[in-house]
């Protein structure tokens, strides 16, 4: 099913990750560090679809500034994914949801919040996006990728692909159509990057449910890979921040 990369992967650490579309050069690359966030933006082309995913992790322990920035980005990511909106709403009308938590701290990002995704076609495919005035429709696939970039120091981005679908609301009228999102991407969110004290009760539960769903979805596919299965369970079951704090890094068991 796998046909090849969907685009040139963005793999960056420290100051390089502060460049949203970083590409390594002969003299500009650097070693991965335990002191800086590490960002991976990766995607593949498959006969039945196209992937575009970004996660930001830390191989040591994040600073307060790094964790707070990550948490604000994550809050924007959650706000988009949990949005419910009437038919006829465009992505540009929802864009502010991804930025609200960042703006509260005087932070922002200068790239788009998300773009349409083709199926075994172009990774960036319109006409819909979170910058477009084209109404979102059931069946559209769109990325959800808020970020924050501190020039010369570090970058954070969290990206998942979402499917636009119809939802039923509590007081919906028969003639109304309401829409929401279903997440397609299955990749854990690293909880030690999160400052739980900045989250609401609902946000904390959303994150726990997210990682639990990722674990349940991926476990059957990793049944024969004990090393990968152990990593998945560990990443999905860890606590927030220093809760359940053990050794730093993403350890690998070489069985």
């Amino acid at each position: 099913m796998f046909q090849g990369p969907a685009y040139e992967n963005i793999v960056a650490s420290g100051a390089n990750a502060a460049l949203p579309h970083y590409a390594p050069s002969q003299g500009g690359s650097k070693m991965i560090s335990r002191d800086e966030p590490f960002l991976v933006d990766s995607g593949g082309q498959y006969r039945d679809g196209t992937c575009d995913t970004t996660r930001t992790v830390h191989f040591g322990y994040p600073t307060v500034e790094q964790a707070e920035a990550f948490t604000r980005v994550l809050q924007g990511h959650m706000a988009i994914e949990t949005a419910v909106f009437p038919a006829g709403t465009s992505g540009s009308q929802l864009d502010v949801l991804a930025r609200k938590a960042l703006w509260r701290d005087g932070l922002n990002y200068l790239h788009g919040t998300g773009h349409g995704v083709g199926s075994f076609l172009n990774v960036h495919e319109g006409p819909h996006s979170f910058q477009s005035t084209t109404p979102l429709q059931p069946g559209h696939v769109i990325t959800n990728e808020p970020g924050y970039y501190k020039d010369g120091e570090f970058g954070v981005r969290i990206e998942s692909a979402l499917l636009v679908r119809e939802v039923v609301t509590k007081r919906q009228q028969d003639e109304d159509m309401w829409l929401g999102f279903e997440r397609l991407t299955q990749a854990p969110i690293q909880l030690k990057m999160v400052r739980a004290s900045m989250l609401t009760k609902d946000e904390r539960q959303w994150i726990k449910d997210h990682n639990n769903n990722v674990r349940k979805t991926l476990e059957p596919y990793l049944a024969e890979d004990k090393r990968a299965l152990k990593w998945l369970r560990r990443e999905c079951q860890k606590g927030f921040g220093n809760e359940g704090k053990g050794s730093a890094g993403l350890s690998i068991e070489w069985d």
Side-chain angles (χ1 to χ4, degrees):
M1 300 294 285
F2 177 66
Q3 302 299 302
Y7 52 91
E8 184 176 356
N9 292 349
I10 300 170
V11 181
S13 181
N16 289 339
L19 304 171
H21 297 99
Y22 168 75
S25 61
Q26 188 72 24
S29 300
K30 61 181 298 183
M31 296 293 291
I32 297 172
S33 168
R34 286 178 176 266
D35 300 321
E36 302 167 318
F38 178 66
L39 185 154
V40 179
D41 186 335
S42 177
Q45 289 279 26
Y46 300 81
R47 289 193 180 277
D48 56 348
T50 298
C51 298
D52 188 356
T53 305
T54 306
R55 291 293 184 268
T56 305
V57 300
H58 207 294
F59 294 103
Y61 296 113
T63 65
V64 171
E65 181 183 24
Q66 292 166 357
E68 287 183 350
F70 183 94
T71 304
R72 290 307 189 201
V73 170
L74 179 56
Q75 287 175 311
H77 185 88
M78 289 188 284
I80 288 289
E81 184 170 321
T82 58
V84 175
F85 47 95
T89 301
S90 67
S92 63
Q93 291 173 295
L94 301 177
D95 181 81
V96 67
L97 298 178
R99 302 177 189 269
K100 180 181 176 182
L102 286 162
W103 286 354
R104 190 178 302 138
D105 286 353
L107 308 177
N108 201 6
Y109 54 94
L110 300 181
H111 60 70
T113 296
H115 55 82
V117 181
S119 178
F120 196 27
L121 291 167
N122 297 324
V123 178
H124 287 240
E125 184 170 290
H128 61 288
S129 74
F130 284 112
Q131 294 71 55
S132 171
T133 57
T134 298
L136 295 171
Q137 299 179 24
H140 279 167
V141 175
I142 190 169
T143 63
N144 172 20
E145 51 182 302
Y148 172 68
Y149 311 91
K150 186 173 183 181
D151 188 38
E153 294 194 25
F154 68 91
V156 171
R157 186 163 65 254
I158 305 170
E159 177 184 17
S160 295
L162 306 177
L163 173 68
V164 181
R165 63 180 181 86
E166 290 188 43
V167 299
V168 177
T169 61
K170 183 177 181 180
R171 303 190 186 281
Q172 183 169 331
Q173 302 297 315
D174 291 341
E175 66 275 12
D176 292 342
M177 178 189 291
W178 291 83
L179 304 177
F181 296 111
E182 176 185 345
R183 177 173 45 84
L184 302 177
T185 300
Q186 300 293 334
I189 291 170
Q190 191 185 55
L191 295 188
K192 72 176 175 180
M193 285 290 290
V194 179
R195 287 184 67 82
S197 61
M198 298 170 62
L199 302 173
T200 66
K201 180 180 178 181
D202 287 344
E203 288 172 336
R204 289 194 294 271
Q205 189 60 52
W206 182 96
I207 298 167
K208 291 177 181 179
D209 290 343
H210 173 284
N211 279 0
N212 191 44
N213 290 335
V214 168
R215 178 183 59 80
K216 289 181 178 180
T217 300
L218 296 183
E219 275 183 337
Y221 298 99
L222 300 177
E224 304 301 320
D225 190 336
K226 294 181 179 179
R227 185 178 63 189
L229 185 59
K230 186 174 182 178
W231 172 86
L232 175 70
R233 288 171 174 169
R234 184 174 65 244
E235 288 302 302
C236 290
Q237 294 173 351
K238 282 184 176 179
F240 290 106
N242 293 329
E243 297 172 16
K245 183 175 178 180
S247 59
L250 298 178
S251 61
I252 298 175
E253 303 293 335
W254 297 102
D255 295 327

